[in-house]
Amino acid sequence: MPSSYRMLFRVSFGHAFFADGVLRDLRMVPVPRCFDKLRRAGLVLRQQEDGIAAYGDDQAVERLRLHIGAAGRSLGMAFQVFFTDPHFFAYTAPAWPSGKLLFLDTADSVTDETGRRIVHATPYVEASAFLEREHARLACILGERVLAPTPAMVVQVDVSNALLDVVDARARHFHVRFDAAGNRFRDGAAGCGAVDTDAGEPASGGRQFAGVNIADRHRAHVFMPRGAIQMREVTPPRARRRTPLVTVGKAPAGRPSPAGPN
């Protein structure tokens, strides 16, 4: 890519399930109308490991300004999003309603406490962002019929003169963040963890369910979690192991017992 090109906008995806917070198993494809706008303006798309980015030189920026002026409003660059991990929907919250698509627009983005542009007003994507496939906002982007294969969501980048005037590239980098789904357990259900710890209420907030024998004749207490436990790629420890007490046994006959501390 020529050195005269600069990043005009970027969309990145994050997920609380992953240890590094990055969602990688996805593919973003511009809808036909968006592809035509990108081509006419001379922008170059580059797939990123966590999303997509668009680049252009000064001439491309000027062409975008002309298109904005001719339209009398900002340009909507819409992308279909496909999640390529078959287990994505199992560890993601909110749950995907049947027959609906998730829709996000960078025009609704806010700045979080770290200075990043988030494409939803809440820390994570909410269920209110789902729309019926025939919804007017999606129909004007995807056309009368939803494209095949059907995307899981649509992201629209609001390209305005204000966005093109931004000097700090971080303000043109938009983030989408998903929360991890949680599992709920019933009393006696399989899957609860057995930990060798003191009886009672552990720090994780669970309640004691039963005592069990584990390997090497160790005794352990099983605790049932209260409510849901969020799924994680790497599960953090939720209880501490009890240090065995040091005991002094009887000395063999004819031999003195070990002397205790003075």
Side-chain angles (χ1 to χ4, degrees):
M1 184 182 300
S3 59
S4 59
Y5 278 60
R6 59 187 175 92
M7 191 265 286
L8 300 183
F9 63 82
R10 178 178 174 181
V11 180
S12 294
F13 285 76
H15 204 300
F17 174 79
F18 296 102
D20 60 2
V22 178
L23 177 60
R24 295 179 173 84
D25 294 324
L26 61 94
R27 182 168 57 93
M28 296 184 67
V29 180
V31 301
R33 291 183 183 181
C34 175
F35 181 80
D36 184 57
K37 293 175 185 177
L38 293 168
R39 180 185 58 79
R40 287 188 294 153
L43 270 62
V44 176
L45 281 182
R46 285 289 183 268
Q47 293 286 339
Q48 309 292 311
E49 78 167 349
D50 60 350
I52 205 165
Y55 296 85
D57 57 11
D58 290 340
Q59 292 182 342
V61 171
E62 288 305 312
R63 283 192 287 268
L64 283 173
R65 293 188 188 279
L66 289 175
H67 292 316
I68 293 171
R73 54 181 173 80
S74 58
L75 303 178
M77 300 286 189
F79 297 85
Q80 306 168 78
V81 183
F82 301 89
F83 299 107
T84 55
D85 181 355
H87 304 293
F88 171 81
F89 301 101
Y91 57 72
T92 300
W96 243 256
S98 177
K100 292 187 177 183
L101 301 181
L102 187 64
F103 177 72
L104 296 173
D105 193 331
T106 63
D108 303 323
S109 62
V110 297
T111 303
D112 70 1
E113 65 279 359
T114 66
R116 298 193 303 175
R117 298 294 296 175
I118 308 299
V119 196
H120 33 84
T122 52
Y124 299 102
V125 172
E126 282 193 321
S128 58
F130 286 98
L131 299 178
E132 296 288 345
R133 293 178 181 177
E134 296 78 18
H135 193 280
R137 295 193 71 178
L138 289 173
C140 65
I141 294 172
L142 301 175
E144 295 182 359
R145 299 179 61 184
V146 176
L147 304 177
T150 304
M153 68 177 294
V154 174
V155 175
Q156 181 164 266
V157 180
D158 187 63
V159 180
S160 63
N161 284 317
L163 181 69
L164 299 175
D165 290 336
V166 170
V167 176
D168 188 351
R170 292 179 301 174
R172 296 194 297 272
H173 188 174
F174 302 97
H175 298 264
V176 178
R177 298 191 295 194
F178 288 104
D179 200 3
N183 276 336
R184 289 188 174 274
F185 297 86
R186 300 184 304 275
D187 285 355
C192 54
V195 293
D196 186 9
T197 185
D198 297 319
E201 293 282 337
S204 59
R207 63 188 181 280
Q208 187 177 3
F209 174 69
V212 296
N213 292 318
I214 57 177
D216 300 327
R217 294 179 294 179
H218 283 90
R219 188 67 175 167
H221 301 285
V222 178
F223 293 94
M224 297 302 300
R226 296 187 184 278
I229 293 180
Q230 282 190 308
M231 298 181 186
R232 290 290 186 268
E233 180 184 27
V234 179
T235 304
R238 295 192 177 94
R240 62 180 178 81
R241 187 178 180 85
R242 183 176 62 186
T243 303
L245 297 176
V246 178
T247 58
V248 179
K250 293 183 178 180
R255 296 180 60 183
S257 298
N262 294 327

